[in-house]
Amino acid sequence: MSTPDAGLALHPFRALRPTVDASRLGQLLCPPYDVIDDAERTALLEADPDNAVALILPSDEGEAEGRDRYQVAAHQLQAARQRGLYATDADPALYVYELTDGRATTRGLIGAVELRDPADNVILPHENTMAGPVADRLALMIATESNLEPIYLVYDGGGAASDAVAQVRPEDAIAQTTTPDGITHRLWALTDPEHLAVIGADLRGRRALIADGHHRYATYRELQELWDTERGPGPWDRGLALLVDSSSYGPQVHAIHRVVVGIGLPALLDRTDGWCATIEVADPEAGLQLAGQTSGFAAVLADAQRTVLLADNHAKLAEASVEAGGVPALAELDVTVLHRTLVGTVWAIPDDVDHVGYAHSVTEALAEAARTGGTAVLLRPTPVAAVAAVAAAGGRMPRKSTLFTPKPASGLVMRLFADEAGPAGH
């Protein structure tokens, strides 16, 4: 592999961007691939067949013609470029990207981040990953030879990079649109070499936390290892990333809930007996509100008929979650106690996606529990400081532990490896 810079390095690149006007641009953007279900994918493509979801979640319709869905995405991307839907910017840039919903604003820098081993303590993951999503994203990156959507990094800011983000002027924006969800997106390009050098120097002594995109970052590193061996150093030694100063534009962290498939609430409560307190509550909202006032581990179990709060009043679950030589802060998190102790020991359920699913909202969790004859497990969000503490100590939270919002839109800025000349874009 190539030798990376000493610290955090976010490099300018020539972005591939839509050439359409503001009204259509909003119809071309979509959320990241891992929060889009089949119904939303269909709705996005019905609104505009060129929506970026066709690239990041390609169809398998081309298999009848001998192309897998990743080749379909590569073909669609090439065809869209040929007909002028996308064009590559003339000059390398770091891009200031802003999202606002009218109440809160997030703004950061999009660039090509130098990939680092977690042991370097520069880019810090905080969640475990699963092999399936990494294999899926790797096949897509190989077929398209590109990064189609950015990962989301946060860091403690202040300094030249933060100043650059704060000082852009509205009239200088190179793209602006509002998506159907009501979020306004704006983009600026920073191209002055001296300005970019100052930003680079500011970031070099810093480190960043992966807020969103653990599987894509793991994919970046797998592709780097594969192609550095086959081809030598190249643009794959970097990956598309949005870097946000959490001290100025800190994201919100939400819980990702669980669904125990095929086991109803009464059966789970029977298995939980003797481990912790169980408190009947009126509904999931009341349960989560009470959980927020509870010290130690707390989680809400719910189905269509009942809602029960689990409270680890005597720390029996938490004590069983401590691993010898492990990160102490990790054992204190609700999601760790759930997976280490409740799922595997107390409930005796295999800890895989077939038995313990994921839901990004209470409504989704309850609906999936009803569909599968199971139970929704509703969690409190993990505080950002706790996530950062676990990552800094080298710990890994269970997969799908945190939901950072707002998420950067896919389709606004893409990165083609062919658009970066020379090894690693130099």
Side-chain angles (χ1 to χ4, degrees):
M1 297 183 184
S2 63
T3 302
D5 287 352
L8 183 64
L10 192 68
H11 296 273
F13 72 105
R14 298 169 60 221
L16 181 72
R17 301 189 294 108
T19 60
V20 300
D21 61 21
S23 60
R24 190 177 178 205
L25 179 59
Q27 298 295 321
L28 294 182
L29 308 186
C30 68
Y33 82 100
D34 57 343
V35 296
I36 300 175
D37 59 22
D38 291 342
E40 184 172 9
R41 182 183 186 280
T42 298
L44 289 166
L45 292 175
E46 285 178 348
D48 194 312
D50 287 318
N51 187 280
V53 74
L55 301 176
I56 65 171
L57 286 176
S59 167
D60 58 8
E61 294 173 358
E63 290 182 356
E65 303 170 7
R67 295 196 306 265
D68 66 26
R69 60 195 187 97
Y70 307 109
Q71 292 170 322
V72 168
H75 174 76
Q76 288 180 321
L77 180 59
Q78 181 182 22
R81 294 175 64 203
Q82 289 175 343
R83 60 189 170 92
L85 182 66
Y86 298 110
T88 301
D89 287 340
D91 299 314
L94 291 178
Y95 296 85
V96 177
Y97 174 40
E98 177 188 273
L99 308 88
T100 181
D101 60 5
R103 300 183 301 275
T105 297
T106 292
R107 190 187 282 185
L109 287 170
I110 295 179
V113 71
E114 194 89 46
L115 305 182
R116 301 300 302 266
D117 188 290
D120 294 336
N121 208 33
V122 174
I123 298 178
L124 305 175
H126 68 271
E127 288 185 358
N128 289 321
T129 57
M130 297 174 282
V134 173
D136 168 62
R137 293 298 95 181
L138 181 61
L140 184 62
M141 287 185 199
I142 288 174
T144 61
E145 299 205 6
S146 65
N147 302 144
L148 296 178
E149 49 184 348
I151 64 171
Y152 186 177
L153 306 175
V154 295
Y155 77 110
D156 290 329
S162 297
D163 291 343
V165 167
Q167 292 170 2
V168 292
R169 301 182 303 175
E171 61 269 24
D172 294 333
I174 59 173
Q176 179 170 335
T177 191
T178 300
T179 42
D181 57 8
I183 295 177
T184 296
H185 308 258
R186 290 197 294 178
L187 192 72
W188 294 262
L190 307 179
T191 58
D192 178 73
E194 292 186 5
H195 193 192
L196 295 174
V198 171
I199 293 171
D202 172 43
L203 295 178
R204 201 163 293 127
R206 303 179 184 273
R207 63 184 183 180
L209 173 72
I210 301 176
D212 188 63
H214 283 81
H215 288 95
R216 279 167 285 164
Y217 188 73
T219 304
Y220 288 167
R221 297 194 65 237
E222 286 214 9
L223 182 63
Q224 179 188 36
E225 182 176 0
L226 177 66
W227 278 3
D228 272 7
T229 300
E230 294 180 356
R231 308 183 183 189
W236 41 87
D237 291 320
R238 300 171 183 168
L240 188 62
L242 168 67
L243 179 66
V244 173
D245 173 0
S246 60
S247 66
S248 298
Y249 297 102
Q252 301 178 39
V253 184
H254 308 271
I256 299 179
H257 307 296
R258 269 51 175 169
V259 178
V260 176
V261 176
I263 303 177
L265 178 55
L268 282 187
L269 290 176
D270 285 343
R271 299 184 191 189
T272 309
D273 186 42
W275 279 90
C276 62
T278 57
I279 304 167
E280 296 277 347
V281 291
D283 52 45
E285 182 178 349
L288 286 171
Q289 184 174 1
L290 183 58
Q293 302 166 4
T294 302
S295 59
F297 170 82
V300 177
L301 305 186
D303 61 13
Q305 286 75 42
R306 297 171 64 193
T307 304
V308 176
L309 173 70
L310 303 183
D312 192 20
N313 294 339
H314 300 291
K316 188 174 182 179
L317 292 172
E319 289 174 3
S321 300
V322 175
E323 293 183 345
V327 176
L330 184 57
E332 298 173 0
L333 303 181
D334 288 351
V335 69
T336 306
V337 174
L338 173 67
H339 281 272
R340 283 187 181 175
T341 304
L342 274 175
V343 170
T345 301
V346 178
W347 295 340
I349 302 168
D351 193 2
D352 56 44
V353 293
D354 294 327
H355 295 85
V356 183
Y358 306 97
H360 290 90
S361 69
V362 171
T363 300
E364 181 186 347
L366 292 171
E368 189 64 12
R371 188 187 70 81
T372 63
T375 304
V377 182
L378 310 178
L379 299 172
R380 302 175 294 190
T382 303
V384 176
V387 176
V390 167
R396 297 289 181 275
M397 298 168 67
R399 58 190 180 274
K400 298 292 183 183
S401 292
T402 55
L403 175 63
F404 283 79
T405 62
K407 292 177 177 285
S410 298
L412 182 64
V413 171
M414 294 177 280
R415 175 176 175 258
L416 296 185
F417 298 153
D419 288 336
E420 297 189 29
H426 291 294

